[in-house]
């Protein structure tokens, strides 16, 4: 028994030491604790790059599921996004001269973008790829995953529409069988409220975010299809 306790203490101390000495960037976030996709290469502490052009992928697969590029894994706070300059890269966003970290609890799901989409302002978007929050366990940054869209969180950001698709992983997840917001609320009480509260408050009390509630999968798919059509339309 004494040996087992001693061994447990050594393991705990080792883990603590590893975490304590993990490289920190600007005292904002540990750079070695968030995995990235095996299909991508770490170019530097702020950029991962793959062989494929990320936004060139279809928004919706032949199986009917949507593609999602994971930028921010569940539970993490460093604000990464698909690069607008390099179509093969995901990079750590800079703000005020520093890599951006959300000053709040970690993201309640995997946050990312739907490739092959662009929603203009006249359709309620900002011209960027559709944002999506994917419920489920943390997925490595830069990974492309199949997701089922189950709804949309209607948001205002400083008065401008900034909606977030809500989706679930389609396999190896407790949410994989969920098909609607109603089913989510029934089987996993509180999850949608957590997502709603998180996005309304993650920028702080004066962050300008306002939640307008959820709409169902049908509404979300209408937005997704419009954004996919606009992306392929002549500019």
């Amino acid at each position: 028994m004494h040996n087992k306790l001693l061994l447990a203490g050594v393991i705990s101390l080792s883990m603590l030491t590893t975490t304590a000495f993990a490289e920190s960037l600007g005292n904002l976030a540990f750079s070695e604790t968030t995995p990235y996709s095996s299909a991508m290469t770490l170019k530097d502490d702020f950029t991962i790059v793959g062989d494929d052009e990320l936004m060139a992928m279809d928004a919706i697969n032949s199986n009917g599921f949507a593609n999602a590029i994971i930028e921010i894994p569940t539970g993490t706070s460093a604000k990464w996004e698909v690069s607008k300059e390099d179509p093969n890269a995901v990079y750590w966003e800079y703000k005020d001269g520093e890599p951006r970290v959300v000053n709040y609890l970690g993201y309640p799901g995997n946050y990312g973008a739907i490739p092959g989409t662009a929603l203009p302002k006249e359709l309620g978007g900002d011209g960027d790829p559709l944002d999506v929050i994917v419920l489920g366990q943390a997925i490595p940054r830069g990974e492309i995953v199949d997701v089922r869209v189950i709804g949309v969180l209607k948001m205002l950001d400083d008065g401008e529409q900034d909606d977030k698709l809500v989706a679930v992983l389609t396999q190896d997840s407790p949410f994989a069988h969920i098909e609607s917001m109603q089913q989510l609320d029934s089987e996993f009480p509180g999850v949608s409220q957590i997502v709603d509260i998180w996005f309304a408050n993650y920028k702080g009390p004066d962050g300008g975010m306002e939640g307008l509630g959820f709409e169902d999968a049908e509404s979300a798919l209408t937005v997704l299809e419009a954004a996919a059509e606009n992306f392929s339309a002549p500019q």
Side-chain angles (χ1 to χ4, degrees), residues 3-17:
N3 289 339
K4 288 182 178 179
L5 290 174
L6 180 61
L7 178 59
V10 170
I11 292 173
S12 297
L13 180 60
S14 174
M15 293 175 65
L16 178 62
T17 301

Side-chain angles (χ1 to χ4, degrees), residues 168-197:
V168 296
L169 297 172
T170 60
Q171 55 186 341
D172 301 326
S173 166
F175 301 99
H177 65 290
I178 299 297
E179 297 184 355
S180 68
M181 294 302 300
Q182 292 79 6
Q183 185 182 5
L184 177 69
D185 289 338
S186 174
E187 297 189 27
F188 297 94
V191 170
S192 64
Q193 289 96 322
I194 290 170
V195 172
D196 188 10
I197 291 170

Side-chain angles (χ1 to χ4, degrees), residues 25 51 87 105 140 142 205 222:
L25 298 176
D51 294 329
L105 297 173
T222 298

Side-chain angles (χ1 to χ4, degrees), residues 78-89:
K79 189 72 169 68
W80 287 60
E81 63 181 12
V82 175
S83 173
K84 294 179 176 66
E85 289 76 31
D86 183 346
N88 295 44

Side-chain angles (χ1 to χ4, degrees), residues 136-151:
Q137 67 275 26
I139 299 296
R141 179 176 289 121
E143 199 76 48
I144 317 302
V145 292
D146 281 355
V147 302
R148 180 188 297 112
V149 176
I150 65 169

Side-chain angles (χ1 to χ4, degrees), residues 53-74:
E53 186 173 335
L54 296 173
M55 289 305 295
M57 293 185 296
D58 291 333
I60 303 174
N61 291 320
S62 58
N63 59 16
F65 295 133
N67 280 315
I69 306 164
I70 302 303
E71 300 165 318
I72 307 170
T74 298

